Amino acid sequence: MYAYFVDAYKKGSLLRLREAPEPDVGPNDVLVQVHAVSLNLLDSKIRDGEFKPILPYKPPFIAGHDVAGTVLRVGAQVRKFNVGDEVYSRPSDGRIGTFAERIAIDQKDLALKPKTLSFAEAASVPLVGLTAWQALVDRANLRSGQKVFIQAGSGGVGTFAIQLAKHLGAKVATTTSAANGELVRNLGADVVIDYREQDFEKVLLGYDVVLNSQDTETLEKSLRVVRRGGVVVSISGPPDPGFAKQKRLNPIIGLVFRLLSRGIRKKAQPAGIRYTFLFMNGSGAQLEQITKLIEAGAIRPVIDKVFAFEALNEAMAYLETGRAKGKVVVTLR
């Protein structure tokens, strides 16, 4: 089969398309014929080496985190899936590699594809859908009637998180450019802030939850729009001690994360705000919940562009411009 490899950690480098060995299929694994994948900034950050302390992949390795396809074979212990099933997934860390013609995925990370979606649409969902779910449902416990500020509303995570928050009954504020204002309003945003013309800190007040995806300066400003007792969930850092403990990282790395997050934690604590860093995990069970929402019409994927498999590096370059509205998808079949 053919797959795209990270040959060496290097900022902005191209992934190399070459032949790869067929995946090993363990007793709990499902072999998936890949129909479509989607790209995430996580893919480029891993290629650049930004996550080596957390995810020490040894080049060369196959890249990619999102996939939709059909089941070709199941391991001896697999009971939920059968050959021919249409599935989608965000494989667990340590077992990524969706930028390939085939991939073996642990059944715990897999779910049946929503019947209402094409393979391309389904491939756009797992990473951003699970990120939004784990941030808003698991970490923030967002409830009906609360107010949530979701940054970068026209991005991959933002377009999904806005819809999930509205389904949960929250009032949603977001930032975007004026050109994307209509898009995020149609997704359910109640308050739309043009980040080029407005300062969200002067518009928002008393919010229960913030989903931060921007830089440290924006994170610190976000604390000032949150009420006492509220929560800030950051998917862009800095990592906190809880994350290091969760991942069972080297104590030295844990100490580094404690120091990196000390500033934001010291500012959040006196204000009565809980700060938590989220690095999402694969979960087939949560994807099943997301599937129900999609099939019920509560959430729809937002796709900016679709590229052919041979143009995956071109698709990555487009994603890295930061102009994509929703997700960038690559199709194989």
Side-chain angles (χ1 to χ4, degrees), residues 13 17 19-20 42 70 78 83 94 125 155 160 163 184 210 217 236 239 251 268 278 281 287 290 304 316 319-320 328:
S13 61
L17 179 63
E19 286 192 71
L42 177 60
T70 55
V78 175
V83 172
V125 170
F160 198 99
Q163 295 177 84
V184 296
V210 170
E217 180 182 355
S236 60
L278 172 68
N281 298 301
L287 276 179
I290 290 170
D304 187 303
M316 185 75 80
L319 174 72
E320 291 172 335
V328 176

Side-chain angles (χ1 to χ4, degrees), residues 20-61:
E22 290 291 330
D24 294 326
V25 181
N28 288 299
D29 291 344
V30 175
L31 181 64
V32 176
Q33 177 75 56
V34 178
H35 287 246
V37 301
S38 72
L39 279 57
N40 300 278
L41 287 176
L42 177 60
D43 299 313
S44 61
K45 290 180 179 181
I46 287 178
R47 175 207 63 199
D48 294 347
E50 291 186 26
F51 285 94
K52 281 192 291 184
I54 301 172
L55 302 170
Y57 297 115
K58 294 182 179 179
F61 61 89

Side-chain angles (χ1 to χ4, degrees), residues 118 120-122 124 301-306 325-329:
S118 67
E121 291 170 328
S124 75
V302 177
I303 296 177
D304 187 303
K305 283 190 177 183
V306 178
K325 297 181 284 293
K327 294 301 296 290
V328 176
V329 174

Side-chain angles (χ1 to χ4, degrees), residues 87 100 248:
V87 294
R248 299 179 180 176

Side-chain angles (χ1 to χ4, degrees), residues 88-92 95 105-111 282-284 287:
Y88 71 151
S89 177
R90 191 289 204 191
S92 288
R95 296 199 61 180
I105 302 172
D106 192 303
Q107 61 177 335
K108 68 179 174 57
D109 296 329
L110 204 63
S283 171
L287 276 179

